[in-house]
Amino acid sequence: MVRFFILAILISSFVATAYADVSYRRLVNFEWEAIEGASSYNVELTYIRPDNTPGQKYNFTLKTAEWSGKLTPGKYQMILRALDSRKVPGEWSD
């Protein structure tokens, strides 16, 4: 009976934490200087964990030099690159 109770607490804590992370997201807008001749952009956002190690990555391909979306508060690293009309990518930004 005690084992079941502890497991139930762990599961309910995990569910509450997972729900809290998903439900508390903020709208974020990024905009950068458009690159002449670019037909689209690849954007990569990487969540940086509290111990400064990389976490989940989010990848987008965009037609314009801007991105809007909801992210869980925290530290992120963003890199991007332009693609020309042939879909040939340039170098990733720093």
Side-chain angles (χ1 to χ4, degrees):
M1 182 66 161
V2 172
R3 287 184 193 158
F4 175 74
F5 181 69
I6 291 172
L7 180 60
I9 290 174
L10 291 174
I11 290 172
S12 64
S13 291
F14 175 75
V15 171
T17 301
Y19 180 75
D21 289 344
V22 172
S23 67
Y24 183 64
R25 299 190 319 174
R26 299 186 69 170
L27 181 62
V28 179
N29 301 303
F30 295 112
E31 188 174 326
W32 54 92
E33 188 174 326
I35 297 173
E36 188 176 331
S39 64
S40 60
Y41 300 90
N42 289 137
V43 177
E44 182 179 282
L45 286 172
T46 304
Y47 174 72
I48 306 299
R49 295 182 183 116
D51 64 356
N52 286 326
T53 61
Q56 185 171 359
K57 292 184 184 224
Y58 304 91
N59 293 293
F60 310 98
T61 299
L62 308 166
K63 297 280 184 190
T64 61
E66 59 187 352
W67 177 83
S68 292
K70 290 188 174 184
L71 293 174
T72 304
K75 184 177 177 182
Y76 292 83
Q77 177 186 25
M78 180 179 100
I79 57 173
L80 60 98
R81 65 183 176 183
L83 288 83
D84 66 15
S85 60
R86 302 168 298 161
K87 306 277 189 247
V88 175
E91 301 218 6
W92 287 103
S93 65
D94 289 337

